[in-house]
Amino acid sequence: MTDVQATAVDIPTEDGVADAYVVHPADGRPRPAVLFYQDAYGLRPYLRSMADRLAGAGYTVLVPNVFYRLGRTPVLELPEFIDPDADPTLWERLGPIVSGLTPDQVRRDADAYLRWLADSPVASDGPVALTGYCMGARLVLWTAGAHPDRVAAGAGFHGGRLATDDPDSPHLQAPNITAELYFGHADEDPSLPPEQVARFEEALTSAGVRHTCEVYAGAHHGYTQADTPAYGREADERHWAALLGLLKRTF
């Protein structure tokens, strides 16, 4: 792992200005870029530490506040340890924020994030990779489908609602995706029941997308997030090995 340098940046979009966190190896040389999509709890210290770890492996990592339309980070004040059971109102407040981010908004914002990376002196020329967590896994698919010429790899971990009956369900992007994908599903995840797991895999296979999908036995939704009770160390380390392996293959 190398030393890293982090900066807060503002990214102009069609709908305003997205605040973001960018981190890269401290030598300042251009590195392959990774667009990192947050979970529902947003851009916070633990997510920054994840981005730092990824940058330490040799990448330039951009983590935008995807809820910027509602304000700068933190959009919602959260405790250091986020336990929904300790605060029954948490998801009453978060639910409308998450559901208010539409696929069309995601695609417009992705245009801006990818333009910013293309212009950044610390990001290498060429394609980028994506990684996303929880709701961010859906954003990976919408972005990869909208930008097949820019996205070389995409990863999603403990994603929910990946293959629903909705007309803009993320799995329907499969025919547009040229990137190699890796998805690590949580075994104990009511937001992604077995029938959706099967539908998602079938969509990728039918579209000829290079992919690996694995179900992490015993893992809960949110298994990568150590500032929540869902965290699972073994599943989290498996996620890191899978993500870094994907990046090594595609960059």
Side-chain angles (χ1 to χ4, degrees):
M1 303 291 286
T2 62
D3 292 338
V4 301
Q5 180 178 339
T7 312
V9 298
D10 286 341
I11 300 176
T13 76
E14 289 187 30
D15 298 334
V17 176
D19 54 302
Y21 179 79
V22 62
V23 58
H24 54 83
D27 61 16
R29 290 168 39 214
R31 302 300 177 102
V34 181
L35 175 55
F36 183 124
Y37 280 130
Q38 65 179 63
D39 64 353
Y41 297 137
L43 181 50
R44 60 194 191 280
Y46 185 69
L47 236 61
R48 292 184 180 94
S49 74
M50 292 179 68
D52 291 352
R53 178 170 174 175
L54 190 51
Y59 301 97
T60 290
V61 185
L62 177 66
V63 192
N65 165 26
V66 303
F67 299 142
Y68 70 87
R69 291 173 181 84
L70 301 176
R72 298 179 70 84
T73 302
V75 173
L76 186 66
E77 292 288 348
L78 295 169
E80 185 175 342
F81 187 78
I82 306 166
D83 184 357
D85 290 339
D87 180 3
T89 72
L90 178 59
W91 275 99
E92 292 176 11
R93 291 177 286 139
L94 266 179
I97 294 174
V98 174
S99 62
L101 184 64
T102 69
D104 284 343
Q105 289 174 336
V106 171
R107 295 183 185 102
R108 290 202 301 273
D109 292 345
D111 290 344
Y113 305 148
L114 294 174
R115 280 197 306 271
W116 188 91
L117 285 170
D119 292 339
S120 172
V122 294
S124 301
D125 293 337
V128 305
L130 315 171
T131 189
Y133 301 84
C134 178
M135 59 165 277
R138 298 196 296 273
L139 276 58
V140 164
L141 293 165
W142 285 322
T143 299
H147 294 276
D149 58 328
R150 289 281 284 126
V151 179
F157 300 93
H158 48 81
R161 297 182 56 79
L162 298 180
T164 69
D165 294 326
D166 189 273
D168 211 351
S169 175
H171 78 290
L172 299 177
Q173 292 300 308
N176 304 321
I177 293 174
T178 59
E180 180 178 347
L181 300 183
Y182 177 92
F183 274 72
H185 306 311
D187 187 26
E188 306 291 332
D189 190 349
S191 71
L192 194 73
E195 58 269 24
Q196 284 198 41
V197 172
R199 182 185 294 173
F200 182 60
E201 174 87 21
E202 181 181 356
L204 297 181
T205 300
S206 296
V209 177
R210 294 167 296 151
H211 70 280
T212 302
C213 293
E214 298 180 311
V215 177
Y216 290 18
H220 295 271
H221 183 81
Y223 61 76
T224 63
Q225 306 300 301
D227 58 352
T228 78
Y231 180 70
R233 182 177 299 277
E234 183 177 343
D236 182 33
E237 289 306 315
R238 182 177 175 182
H239 131 263
W240 279 111
L243 176 58
L244 292 173
L246 174 68
L247 297 178
K248 187 175 181 179
R249 287 194 303 275
T250 51
F251 279 138

